[in-house]
Amino acid sequence: MLVAGCCLWGARGYAATYYVTVAGLGGEPDYEQRFTANAMDLDRIFKSATGAHVFTLTGKQATRARLTEVVGQIAREAKPEDDFVLTLIGHGSFDGAEYKFNLVGPDMTGAELGALCDKVAARRQLIVDTTSASGGAVAALERPGRAVIVASKSGTEKNATVFARYWVEALEDPSADTDKSDSVSALEAFVYADRKTAAFYASQKRLATEHAEFEDTGKGEAVRAAPADSREGALMATFTVVRMGAAQAAMNDPAKRELMAKKEELEQKIDGLKYQKAAMEPGEYKKELTAALLELATVQEELDK
């Protein structure tokens, strides 16, 4: 099943988000149903977002050819200021050198996936690979401006994963929005899904066979938590995956849409300053942070009217 081309934005005066979700080959009816259900849940969630272009590949449509065609279409349409999100659900494999995403027909390697996404002009990209052995894909997928989340810490964790279930849950559960911004960032969703995954194995009294990681600097090793002295997590913290409540309502209101976009831009700037603090002069850091916070307060006041 292919659900494609849903655009709820109207005029292209504002940045949009392109979402591609692929439920790969299940191999067994139980896995087929689970993967498809997760993909269709994401399809529903993403279609509720203003500015969303949603493409969902499941069943017989989840092929290398169709994925290449869909991302090729996005490469022709997306602008540098747009965001791009690719979510892979299903089984993966790793032979010690190369990761492959299992699709109907020929599989797709991590290097091929990375090259495909490189054609998309969006400067900010997020790849969420929830498959088994997905840790083996990080090196092939990472690049500056792209956050990569994987369900397993290496290609050797080859059991079927449950991370996808909790990633979907994170995008609908208000408790995932820990900074109360009425939006869920990639980092917030990761933390939520990782915690829920660990709790699942604990409740089942089973040894965890998956340990999610991320990399978003484009040149490092994947980590499970961002070290205090690194920039890991900076992109993910400012990458909005979905909006909720008042934030989504504001984006649906033409009179408030520009203000909401400005608010998110300022929030990204403030988060970026916090990550750059160690490299800045204290006086300059304080000056820039204060100015951004004052401007954010003014924008928020306008939104609250």
Side-chain angles (χ1 to χ4, degrees):
M1 177 178 176
L2 167 64
V3 183
C6 174
C7 177
L8 305 176
W9 196 237
R12 287 299 305 274
Y14 304 91
T17 302
Y18 287 82
Y19 297 95
V20 179
T21 304
V22 188
L25 191 65
E28 300 175 13
D30 179 54
Y31 286 127
E32 202 79 39
Q33 292 171 9
R34 186 200 308 177
F35 298 161
T36 298
N38 287 334
M40 295 314 296
D41 280 342
L42 288 179
D43 182 79
R44 170 179 51 79
I45 292 167
F46 295 150
K47 280 182 177 175
S48 70
T50 302
H53 301 250
V54 182
F55 301 83
T56 303
L57 300 172
T58 66
K60 293 180 180 179
Q61 290 289 334
T63 67
R64 173 177 172 152
R66 287 297 294 128
L67 178 55
T68 300
E69 183 179 348
V70 166
V71 178
Q73 178 183 334
I74 294 170
R76 292 189 296 273
E77 296 178 2
K79 304 295 189 293
E81 63 269 21
D82 295 332
D83 285 349
F84 173 68
V85 179
L86 172 64
T87 307
L88 308 177
I89 301 169
H91 297 305
S93 62
F94 185 69
D95 63 6
E98 187 174 65
Y99 164 86
K100 289 184 179 181
F101 177 42
N102 299 163
L103 292 163
V104 177
D107 295 337
M108 185 169 278
T109 68
E112 289 169 336
L113 284 163
L116 197 60
C117 295
D118 285 347
K119 297 177 181 178
V120 178
R123 285 188 291 261
R124 288 160 45 88
Q125 300 188 6
L126 170 66
I127 298 179
V128 185
D129 189 342
T130 71
T131 72
S132 49
S134 50
V138 175
L141 296 177
E142 67 180 0
R143 76 159 202 192
R146 178 184 295 155
V148 179
I149 293 173
V150 290
S152 72
K153 67 180 179 181
S154 70
T156 59
E157 290 191 328
K158 298 182 177 182
N159 290 3
T161 67
V162 299
F163 184 83
R165 176 198 313 178
Y166 299 115
W167 177 262
V168 173
E169 192 176 300
L171 303 185
E172 293 194 287
D173 188 343
S175 72
D177 175 24
T178 54
D179 66 359
K180 305 306 177 187
S181 63
D182 283 324
S183 64
V184 178
S185 70
L187 187 59
E188 287 174 324
F190 173 86
V191 171
Y192 178 102
D194 184 48
R195 184 181 72 249
K196 287 276 191 171
T197 298
F200 166 82
Y201 285 99
S203 69
Q204 297 292 311
K205 294 181 169 49
R206 290 166 49 189
L207 183 66
T209 56
E210 60 188 283
H211 301 83
E213 293 188 332
F214 65 86
E215 204 295 309
D216 69 347
T217 67
K219 56 184 177 181
E221 297 291 327
V223 297
R224 287 185 53 73
D229 59 347
S230 82
R231 286 190 54 77
E232 288 285 3
L235 174 58
M236 284 172 52
T238 62
F239 196 112
T240 298
V241 185
V242 294
R243 299 178 183 88
M244 300 174 168
Q248 185 56 50
M251 291 302 287
N252 289 336
D253 182 349
K256 293 187 175 182
R257 193 174 295 160
E258 189 172 348
L259 284 169
M260 192 64 209
K262 182 63 176 178
K263 177 187 175 183
E264 292 186 351
E265 178 186 327
L266 286 166
E267 288 172 339
Q268 290 176 12
K269 181 178 181 179
I270 291 166
D271 281 335
L273 283 170
K274 290 177 180 177
Y275 278 94
Q276 297 167 23
K277 181 178 180 180
M280 297 177 68
E281 290 292 332
E284 184 64 21
Y285 169 77
K286 184 177 180 180
K287 178 183 176 182
E288 290 196 29
L289 181 62
T290 300
L293 288 170
L294 287 172
E295 189 174 1
L296 178 60
T298 300
V299 171
Q300 186 62 60
E301 185 177 352
E302 289 296 313
L303 279 168
D304 292 341
K305 287 182 179 179

